[in-house]
């Protein structure tokens, strides 16, 4: 799966459950991959997390999360302020795939 903004690009790789975010703009902000996941067969079983890249323009960052097989996964690439991990904006359209 792939999510792209002018300032960030994000990826989810099913094999290994790897999430990657690349900062594409020297703007003083971090690149953020917003992730949501859920069991498509059960209502209410839902989780979210963010992958933050504070390494700067042209640099990537990867995290691995062990998601249950068959879960739906949604990603969006965003821009954020790393000093306030609750503050991100300018997200692209979501992309949805499966773990």
């Amino acid at each position: 799966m792939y999510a792209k903004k002018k300032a960030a690009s994000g990826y989810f790789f099913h094999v290994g459950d790897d999430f990657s975010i690349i900062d594409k703009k020297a703007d003083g902000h971090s690149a953020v991959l917003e992730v949501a996941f859920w069991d498509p067969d059960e209502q209410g079983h839902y989780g979210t997390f963010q992958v933050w890249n504070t390494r700067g323009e042209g640099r990537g960052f990867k995290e691995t999360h062990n998601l249950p097989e068959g879960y739906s996964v949604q990603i969006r690439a965003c821009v954020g302020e790393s000093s306030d991990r609750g503050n991100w904006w300018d997200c692209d359209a979501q992309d949805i795939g499966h773990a």
Side-chain angles (χ1 to χ4, degrees):
M1 291 172 28
Y2 174 64
K4 179 181 178 182
K5 281 302 278 181
K6 289 182 181 180
S9 293
Y11 305 87
F12 168 66
F13 301 97
H14 166 75
V15 176
D17 289 344
D18 291 330
F19 295 86
S20 179
I21 184 76
I22 300 168
D23 191 334
K24 296 173 48 181
K25 190 173 182 183
D27 58 5
H29 299 294
S30 297
V32 184
L33 187 64
E34 180 183 76
V35 180
F37 59 96
W38 62 92
D39 184 341
D41 298 326
E42 292 185 36
Q43 293 184 348
H45 198 136
Y46 189 90
T48 63
F49 60 88
Q50 299 82 41
V51 178
W52 286 80
N53 179 359
T54 60
R55 300 177 72 199
E57 180 189 16
R59 310 272 320 260
F61 181 76
K62 180 179 85 169
E63 281 185 6
T64 301
H65 293 260
N66 188 16
L67 300 180
E69 289 298 314
Y71 269 41
S72 296
V73 179
Q74 171 187 297
I75 62 170
R76 296 191 320 162
C78 308
V79 175
E81 189 59 55
S82 64
S83 63
D84 177 7
R85 294 281 172 123
N87 187 11
W88 64 91
W89 62 90
D90 197 22
C91 298
D92 66 356
Q94 65 192 17
D95 192 9
I96 298 176
H98 294 90

